[in-house]
Amino acid sequence: MTIKKVVLITGGARGIGRAVALRLAEPETAVIITHRDPASAGAAETLALLKDRAGAAEAQVWAAEDAKAAAENIEAAADRFGRLDVLVNNAGLARDNLSVRLSDEDWREVLSANLFSAFNCARFAARVMMRRRWGRIINLSSVVAYTGNVGQANYSASKAGLLGLTRTLALELAPRNITVNAVAPGWIETDMTAGLPEKVRAAFLERTPLGRPGTAEDVAGAVAFLASEGAAYITGQTLHVNGGLYM
């Protein structure tokens, strides 16, 4: 089968990453997901689902903030398929605590996993995209980049940093017809939010005009739009998917 599009989603084993991978999967598209855990049952499940939908599917084990791994695997994918069209920087984690109690390690780990990882993958993906003068880079930010959130100084800072990175990359890569945008989800039902206290969930929903949590599929729809030809004249922007939580 001829592969006409190649998509790479970091952190694609579950949650939003999985939903994005499945949404972008088409018969002539190769979908590559990355994850950290070699024994991840989620990654195996996602890969099985992708094989029924995509022209080709791969699950690769490497950390998005690992410069050597990113460079080698992105270039190898481009060699294997002859192209890389879409990069979705979704990998990330949270290490929550009040600022006065937040450890140096938790600050650095979250900034590295959420912000440096996006820069790291984008710089290598951009080199491949520039050769063909076409590409889409989409960064997963968060509503807390705009509102802040108690106990999430590191997470909020990392997601706000993604917005500055998005705008700068958009300026730098526009001459090569590569768009760079961000998606900022609000409260989305995922494994990450499932572990938060019920009172936190209730507080978010009370502030959300649509009155319900979002789904991973809601976010995937926004990513799919920004990755499409229909978004060809959109770059440096943030698409909010939050039910009206932030306007």
Side-chain angles (χ1 to χ4, degrees):
M1 179 179 293
T2 301
I3 295 299
K4 296 184 177 180
K5 180 177 287 188
V6 179
V7 176
L8 172 64
I9 301 118
T10 65
R14 56 193 174 92
I16 291 173
R18 173 186 286 184
V20 170
L22 295 176
R23 184 63 178 265
L24 296 180
E26 295 181 348
E28 295 182 330
T29 298
V31 180
I32 303 167
I33 63 168
T34 75
H35 61 104
R36 293 170 174 267
D37 182 6
S40 171
E45 291 169 4
T46 303
L47 186 60
L49 292 169
L50 286 171
K51 286 182 175 178
D52 289 335
R53 305 187 187 196
E58 297 179 1
Q60 300 180 355
V61 184
W62 50 276
E65 63 268 35
D66 183 330
K68 184 173 184 291
E72 290 177 353
N73 284 287
I74 289 172
E75 191 62 42
D79 289 343
R80 199 157 55 252
F81 295 108
R83 60 197 300 153
L84 176 61
D85 301 279
V86 180
L87 168 67
V88 181
N89 283 311
N90 172 70
L93 54 81
R95 294 286 184 269
D96 298 349
N97 212 333
L98 294 176
S99 296
V100 294
R101 299 173 183 166
L102 193 65
S103 70
D104 292 357
E105 181 181 357
D106 284 347
W107 174 271
R108 294 191 185 100
E109 186 176 5
V110 169
L111 267 290
S112 179
N114 296 2
L115 180 56
F116 178 73
S117 66
F119 163 73
N120 187 43
C121 291
R123 59 176 166 171
F124 297 118
R127 294 175 188 177
V128 176
M129 293 173 178
M130 288 169 71
R131 297 173 200 159
R132 298 186 64 252
R133 301 185 69 85
W134 199 94
R136 301 280 190 268
I137 297 174
I138 301 157
N139 299 320
L140 267 294
S141 182
S142 170
V143 67
V144 301
Y146 293 84
T147 65
N149 196 35
V150 173
Q152 289 194 314
N154 50 359
Y155 188 81
S156 299
S158 69
K159 295 299 186 177
L162 279 173
L163 302 179
L165 175 65
T166 296
R167 297 184 187 109
T168 297
L169 289 176
L171 288 169
E172 292 179 353
L173 298 176
R176 296 299 182 96
N177 197 35
I178 300 167
T179 66
V180 187
N181 292 288
V183 174
W187 182 277
I188 307 297
E189 294 283 22
T190 64
D191 291 346
M192 184 179 289
T193 57
L196 295 175
E198 180 58 32
K199 65 179 182 180
V200 175
R201 182 180 190 275
F204 267 103
L205 293 184
E206 184 178 355
R207 293 160 47 202
T208 302
L210 285 183
R212 69 166 178 88
T215 66
E217 289 71 24
D218 289 326
V219 180
V223 173
F225 167 65
L226 291 174
S228 73
E229 287 289 358
Y233 202 55
I234 300 172
T235 196
Q237 306 303 309
T238 301
L239 182 51
H240 295 269
V241 183
N242 61 33
L245 177 62
Y246 174 86
M247 298 186 185

